[in-house]
Amino acid sequence: MKSLKGILFIVGVLVFSTLKIAHAEGVLLIVHTSQALAFHNILRNVAHVSVTPLLGDEIFEVKILSGNKEAVIETLQSLEGVTVTEDLPLPIQTQEIEFISMDTPRPANLWWQKNDGSIKYKVVKYNDKIKKFDIVREIQSVRGADINLPLAHSVERGDPSIIVGVIDSGLSLVHPAFQNSVYTNPFEIPENGIDDDNNGYVDDIHGWNFATNSPHVTDIVGHGTSVSGVIAGNTKGFQGVCPNCKVLPVIIQKEYTQESTSTTSTYLSSFLRAIDYLSRQGARIINMSFILLGDKDKPATLENPVTIIFYAGLRVLEKQGVVLVAAAGNEGQNGNSTVYPAAFRNTISVGALNPLNTWADFSNFGNWIDIMAPGEEIWTTQPFGIINWHKLLFDPDNYVPGYSYQDGTSFAAPMVAGAAGLLLSHYPRMTPQDVHATLTHPSNTNYVRSLGKPNVRSLNVYRALVNPIYVSESF
Ligand SMILES: [Ca+2]
Ligand SMILES: [Ca+2]
């Protein structure tokens, strides 16, 4: 069911003007300690360092001002319960995105919200000879392959106090669907060059760009806007899962900004700062439609200290009561292979369902996936409604926001994030564990044709909303 025309894949890295990167100076280490430990006193004998808390009381940034880096690392590694890594690049990957132009004559189809079985599902194959997609066959979609959203909205449409943090490519701030659903910092005066709310971020009105250390979160790629629309889009003709919730965009990847000077994706410290920011601004849910790639020397496994500290960061957030949702990834990988952050125990990992009520062929699958949600042909918001893509990328103000179909687990995860938003709106005292249990409980979810793959059930927002399950100790 790929589009036949007007497809544009954006994979490249955008490199633009100059911006001094503060990161280059001095060696930065990121240290996680599972127990309160005055390690900086111990380091005093080894080197001249400065220690700054980065996240909670467990993760610190250690800057080596003078002294031997190896000696510092060795000393830290010798301490029990301590993990240390240099502040390395953190290669992460969102999925390439399918743009379908607005003049493509296709009616909006919100099968993912409610599927009456009337839509035809086109199976297409790329024909290399004519450089087009051929329709191989058409199949009727399956009634009930949806998230049962309209009925859920008769119970709950979200509370504006519920904020969903979106770590992605930013947001189209001019899109009508977000005029009422983008988080606005009430204590910050825009564009006055002053950090009015004294949170460490100057003029952070609608989120923060941790790649450039600036308040510019305008989406020049599209991915973040499409993800955010699924969560909380709210305008005539298009409602996301939790239309009265707020989305709070943060950017951590330099590829997603015009101010990039580096091909380096992001740093571990940027991610940790971003989740700390989201939590401090009051996000109750964080959506992560990306996967950790690791690098060729060190894959993103649980042996890699970068992965370990990434996980430790998410654990801090979980303890603060933040619901973590992650896309399962689009490699179509089978079985045992795990991808992070989806495969971490404390994230709700989301695989992609298609309108035939079975696994989308690109979706990773495995027993580590908690739930499925629609992820193929997802009609949602996007920043670009006109066609001069090349020009648009260099001139993000010159566009008309619109809608398009998107494929990927990237768009399944935000359905679960939005559902978590409805739950927390309706049951404000739910813990992340309660939300996880409620959304994934067999009686609250839909049967999926598993076709030999692990039999994971799919999101049914209405069922979850009317059947809360509490697994945590009460407050
Ligand atoms: Ca501020
Ligand atoms: Ca200000």
Side-chain angles (χ1 to χ4, degrees):
M1 207 173 180
K2 298 277 179 193
S3 71
L4 307 181
K5 284 183 187 167
I7 292 176
L8 185 77
F9 293 104
I10 299 201
V11 199
V13 173
L14 307 172
V15 180
F16 291 90
S17 60
T18 55
L19 184 85
K20 189 163 176 288
I21 300 174
H23 200 275
E25 57 193 67
V27 175
L28 281 177
L29 304 178
I30 308 294
V31 177
H32 172 248
T33 169
S34 56
Q35 52 210 9
L37 184 70
F39 64 85
H40 43 287
N41 288 338
I42 298 164
L43 288 181
R44 211 168 272 164
N45 303 322
V46 185
H48 185 204
V49 300
S50 71
V51 178
T52 317
L54 199 55
L55 184 61
D57 53 5
E58 294 183 20
I59 302 179
F60 299 85
E61 194 171 70
V62 174
K63 193 173 189 175
I64 303 176
L65 303 170
S66 64
N68 182 293
K69 177 180 85 180
E70 279 70 31
V72 173
I73 292 175
E74 206 172 296
T75 304
L76 287 165
Q77 281 172 337
S78 72
L79 301 171
E80 199 178 327
V82 170
T83 307
V84 57
T85 175
E86 280 191 58
D87 187 18
L88 296 171
L90 182 74
I92 66 177
Q93 183 184 63
T94 47
Q95 301 302 317
E96 63 194 25
I97 189 164
E98 177 186 351
F99 282 126
I100 300 160
S101 70
M102 284 299 288
D103 56 359
T104 305
R106 302 174 67 182
N109 191 311
L110 291 163
W111 72 269
W112 60 273
Q113 300 193 352
K114 189 70 189 170
N115 186 355
D116 63 4
S118 68
I119 70 156
K120 283 209 174 73
Y121 184 87
K122 297 186 186 74
V123 179
V124 299
K125 202 176 169 187
Y126 192 69
N127 184 330
D128 215 27
K129 281 186 194 146
I130 56 169
K131 308 289 181 203
K132 274 185 175 178
F133 286 98
D134 284 337
I135 298 176
V136 180
R137 62 186 188 277
E138 285 193 351
I139 311 169
Q140 206 73 34
S141 70
V142 174
R143 187 168 184 265
D146 59 43
I147 63 170
N148 204 4
L149 191 62
L151 201 53
H153 280 175
S154 70
V155 178
E156 179 63 69
R157 293 174 47 81
D159 188 289
S161 70
I162 300 298
I163 300 164
V164 185
V166 181
I167 304 174
D168 216 296
S169 61
L171 187 69
S172 170
L173 296 169
V174 297
H175 200 297
F178 299 107
Q179 296 316 299
N180 291 316
S181 54
V182 62
Y183 167 87
T184 301
N185 184 345
F187 307 110
E188 185 69 46
I189 298 161
E191 295 179 34
N192 66 351
I194 296 168
D195 181 14
D196 301 285
D197 64 348
N198 199 27
N199 67 351
Y201 299 94
V202 175
D203 296 342
D204 58 319
I205 300 299
H206 301 301
W208 193 255
N209 186 328
F210 289 85
T212 59
N213 208 26
S214 79
H216 307 305
V217 293
T218 293
D219 184 5
I220 62 166
V221 175
H223 194 274
T225 298
S226 293
V227 164
S228 298
V230 170
I231 295 169
N234 188 0
T235 188
K236 192 168 178 290
F238 184 84
Q239 305 278 298
V241 178
C242 194
N244 292 344
C245 290
K246 305 288 184 194
V247 286
L248 171 50
V250 294
I251 296 174
I252 60 174
Q253 283 178 278
K254 287 199 168 63
E255 286 87 339
Y256 290 157
T257 172
Q258 293 198 11
E259 295 158 65
S260 173
T261 55
S262 166
T263 55
T264 304
S265 197
T266 185
Y267 284 87
L268 178 58
S269 58
S270 307
F271 170 75
L272 296 168
R273 283 204 175 83
I275 60 174
D276 183 54
Y277 176 80
L278 290 173
S279 177
R280 285 175 192 275
Q281 296 305 116
R284 296 285 309 273
I285 300 149
I286 294 179
N287 187 81
M288 294 175 284
S289 286
F290 62 81
I291 63 173
L292 290 182
L293 292 179
D295 55 46
K296 63 181 190 315
D297 300 323
K298 278 189 181 160
T301 64
L302 290 177
E303 283 77 52
N304 184 336
V306 173
T307 313
I308 294 170
I309 295 179
F310 186 102
Y311 179 48
L314 292 180
R315 282 182 57 99
V316 171
L317 271 276
E318 184 190 25
K319 280 187 233 165
Q320 292 170 350
V322 178
V323 177
L324 305 163
V325 181
N330 298 354
E331 288 72 43
Q333 277 177 2
N334 187 344
N336 295 328
S337 58
T338 49
V339 298
Y340 300 105
F344 290 136
R345 189 191 45 74
N346 60 355
T347 56
I348 306 177
S349 54
V350 189
L353 184 77
N354 68 23
L356 302 178
N357 202 32
T358 189
W359 290 84
D361 55 9
F362 56 78
S363 178
N364 288 342
F365 61 95
N367 292 324
W368 50 273
I369 289 172
D370 292 304
I371 193 165
M372 296 175 68
E376 198 165 325
E377 291 292 300
I378 303 305
W379 181 256
T380 181
T381 48
Q382 57 111 322
F384 311 114
I386 54 175
I387 298 308
N388 191 348
W389 305 106
H390 189 75
K391 186 180 176 198
L392 286 170
L393 288 171
F394 287 84
D395 186 4
D397 291 330
N398 183 15
Y399 57 69
V400 179
Y403 298 85
S404 63
Y405 288 99
Q406 307 292 359
D407 286 348
T409 55
S410 282
F411 310 102
M415 293 187 196
V416 173
L422 290 176
L423 281 180
L424 291 175
S425 299
H426 212 66
Y427 309 105
R429 295 167 78 86
M430 271 195 171
T431 66
Q433 292 75 25
D434 299 333
V435 170
H436 191 136
T438 300
L439 291 175
T440 60
H441 193 276
S443 67
N444 289 353
T445 50
N446 293 337
Y447 165 79
V448 171
R449 292 195 304 137
S450 64
L451 300 180
K453 297 180 167 86
N455 197 3
V456 178
R457 295 174 66 94
S458 75
L459 179 68
N460 184 327
V461 185
Y462 173 73
R463 286 292 311 153
L465 205 47
V466 297
N467 186 31
I469 291 168
Y470 290 91
V471 293
S472 306
E473 299 287 315
S474 57
F475 284 82

